[in-house]
Amino acid sequence: MAQTITVVPGDGIGPEVTDATLEVLGAAGAQLEYDMQLAGLIALQELRNPLPQATLDSAEKHRVLLKGPLTTPSGSGFRSINVELRKAFDLYANVRPVRTIVPGGRYEDIDLVLIRENTEGLYVGVEHYIGMHGDARAAAESVMIITRFGAERICRYAFEYARKHGRKKVTLAHKANILKYTQGLFLEVGQEVAKEYPDIEFEDRIIDATAMLLVLDPYRFDVLVMENMFGDILSDLMAGLVGGLGFAPAGNIGEDAAMFEAVHGSAPDIAGQGIANPTSLLSSACLMLDHLEQSDVATRIRGAIDTVVQNGEARTVDMGGNSTTKEFTAALVKALG
Ligand code: NAD
């Protein structure tokens, strides 16, 4: 029986990569029905609300979302709707796998998974200005929140993920040398959880050294776990190892809801040009199919992506080719037979 999911095409290149993704899902025979909803800048413009109640109601009902990127204004304006959705459904684990698809890049055979804590850290949005000497914005302060509960469930998720997917090692990246309480607690909890998984190798590393080592020798890593902002930054770095943001999928997983989205944003610099690479959102949809126990369909789609890209049948501009989003999508549909 077809599963109904909420689909939010989003802003910028969002509608282009969402159209491509839904076309490929259809061609691959995914058993899905779509409840199309708005969020982000487009929802603000059309409905005067960047996160309309109808979108929340749909997500509440179907418990699975496929979401295009949403524009978040920098500095002022509304807060990130992505963060709001993650909070609303307590989607605490942000799973971001990267693997090499395009051959001949800087690195071959990358296969890494970053597990990012999604609800705590500096992104809780507890921040304010501090007034001094008549200047209302003389200083600004943000609070990093790490709880034992939050650290434990994300570390446990990372180890369970490693076990389930036959992975050998978990690296916990932190800054406990400087942020002794918040990052110290995250590290302490991770070390405790690691003792329960003697079959999985465990190491901890300072976040800045982890960033350097990921560039110098990514093959020493397997699964990485870290708090929210570090995970946000390092997952973009890891996308760079496999050719850029066009290849990086993400699943935001909670106890009873999940949201799948590309790691990239709305890419205003190329929006409307029809040249966006849909692989990231399509690979996120594959994670969703795994989640919905339609892994056979996900495997067929991943195979089609590999065939089309590796044979050079079609490549978008960011892959070094000149295919449009539509041409690349047509090649995937053809490869799926
Ligand atoms: P971005 O990820 O949108 O773009 C960074 C660069 O990568 C750009 O040069 C862009 O053209 C390129 N790029 C991104 N996706 C691509 C694709 N699929 N194919 C080809 N090239 C691609 O980052 P940004 O410009 O810093 O952010 C733009 C907006 O997106 C901001 O408002 C930001 O807040 C938002 N954002 C949203 C999400 C999300 O919805 N999850 C994530 C990150 C950023």
Side-chain angles (χ1 to χ4, degrees):
M1 211 181 80
Q3 162 100 27
T4 305
I5 62 163
T6 304
V7 177
V8 175
D11 298 315
I13 60 169
E16 299 164 51
V17 293
T18 303
D19 282 354
T21 298
L22 298 190
E23 195 178 331
V24 175
L25 286 172
Q31 296 296 303
L32 295 171
E33 283 180 7
Y34 307 123
D35 182 0
M36 305 300 291
Q37 296 292 338
L38 293 180
L41 205 54
I42 188 165
L44 183 68
Q45 285 157 358
E46 291 190 11
L47 305 170
R48 302 165 68 104
N49 181 354
L51 184 53
Q53 190 58 41
T55 304
L56 282 169
D57 290 346
S58 170
E60 181 78 39
K61 183 170 170 198
H62 304 304
R63 316 304 295 179
V64 178
L65 262 101
L66 180 64
K67 188 190 70 60
L70 306 178
T71 298
T72 307
S74 289
S76 56
F78 61 88
R79 283 195 178 270
S80 168
I81 300 305
N82 303 308
V83 174
E84 289 302 313
L85 283 167
R86 291 170 192 156
K87 272 201 229 162
F89 296 97
D90 196 21
L91 307 175
Y92 67 92
N94 195 330
V95 181
R96 297 185 156 187
V98 290
R99 67 182 183 100
T100 304
I101 298 176
V102 187
R106 284 196 187 92
Y107 304 91
E108 296 290 348
D109 301 324
I110 296 286
D111 181 13
L112 299 168
V113 183
L114 187 144
I115 311 274
R116 161 186 170 192
E117 204 292 322
N118 228 5
T119 59
E120 301 192 339
L122 271 177
Y123 287 11
V124 287
V126 180
E127 56 176 2
H128 52 255
Y129 291 113
I130 299 167
M132 270 185 282
H133 313 304
D135 179 356
R137 300 198 299 154
E141 187 173 69
S142 292
V143 180
M144 172 182 276
I145 293 177
I146 302 283
T147 66
R148 187 173 286 282
F149 169 79
E152 187 178 332
R153 72 175 173 171
I154 196 66
C155 291
R156 197 172 295 288
Y157 187 95
F159 280 99
E160 289 292 332
Y161 181 97
R163 245 186 207 165
K164 186 171 169 203
H165 293 86
R167 300 217 168 231
K168 305 272 177 286
K169 179 174 166 184
V170 171
T171 302
L172 183 152
H174 62 88
K175 193 72 187 176
N177 52 331
I178 304 295
L179 299 170
K180 292 184 188 295
Y181 290 6
T182 47
Q183 290 294 308
L185 182 60
F186 194 84
L187 172 61
E188 180 191 314
V189 171
Q191 286 167 332
E192 282 165 15
V193 172
K195 289 187 193 136
E196 295 173 36
Y197 297 84
D199 49 318
I200 310 283
E201 187 188 339
F202 173 71
E203 65 173 4
D204 70 83
R205 284 191 184 279
I206 291 173
I207 186 72
D208 31 341
T210 306
M212 178 198 64
L213 284 171
L214 271 166
V215 174
L216 283 182
D217 181 16
Y219 306 101
R220 68 167 65 219
F221 296 103
D222 191 352
V223 175
L224 298 98
V225 63
M226 59 201 73
E227 67 86 32
N228 209 336
M229 188 168 76
F230 293 162
D232 191 11
I233 297 168
L234 280 207
S235 55
D236 271 35
L237 185 155
M238 282 167 47
L241 300 176
V242 297
L245 286 168
F247 299 94
N252 300 268
I253 315 289
E255 290 302 333
D256 59 359
M259 177 172 81
F260 299 86
E261 61 180 343
V263 171
H264 63 71
S266 53
D269 54 341
I270 58 165
Q273 295 177 26
I275 58 167
N277 177 2
T279 306
S280 179
L281 188 64
L282 185 55
S283 302
S284 309
C286 289
L287 296 177
M288 178 184 74
L289 290 169
D290 290 335
H291 178 79
L292 295 173
E293 295 181 355
Q294 296 188 37
S295 287
D296 50 333
V297 185
T299 303
R300 277 210 301 285
I301 294 175
R302 289 185 183 110
I305 294 172
D306 288 355
T307 305
V308 166
V309 173
Q310 286 162 16
N311 295 349
E313 281 166 36
R315 287 188 185 170
T316 49
V317 177
D318 60 320
M319 300 183 207
N322 55 14
S323 305
T324 62
T325 312
K326 283 196 162 57
E327 287 163 349
F328 182 68
T329 308
L332 292 175
V333 170
K334 189 166 159 235
L336 284 162

